[in-house]
Amino acid sequence: VDIIIPTVARVDEAFLQSAPRLKAVIQPAAGYSNIDVEAARVRGIPVCIAPGVNAQSTAELAVMLILMGVKRVDEARRNFNDGVLGEPVGTE
């Protein structure tokens, strides 16, 4: 293995010992939580991350959750599933 692209796999000391040809660790996410960066540095293996890669989707999720709360979407879903038909929810 020359390059590893871990999404959730742990890249630790044991992994690095088992991959002597490894030349780079490329993380397609913003953090290092599953990578032992110090162990890679000692071996001269660069670790690359993609900071900000999920910034737009995170903002979109936040806006969606705010709108769902304001419009009481979960309450409307529960009423619908329970067969409660009456005053509309979230139409103010």
Side-chain angles (χ1 to χ4, degrees), residues 42-71:
V42 167
R43 289 180 166 70
I45 300 170
V47 176
C48 305
I49 62 169
V53 71
N54 61 349
Q56 182 171 344
S57 59
T58 301
E60 290 169 350
L61 175 62
V63 170
M64 181 194 69
L65 291 173
I66 291 167
L67 289 172
M68 286 178 67
V70 168
K71 292 302 216 172

Side-chain angles (χ1 to χ4, degrees), residues 16-36:
L16 293 171
Q17 284 179 357
S18 71
R21 292 186 1 212
L22 188 65
K23 293 182 177 63
V25 177
I26 302 170
Q27 174 74 309
Y32 297 104
S33 61
N34 60 323
I35 302 169
D36 186 342

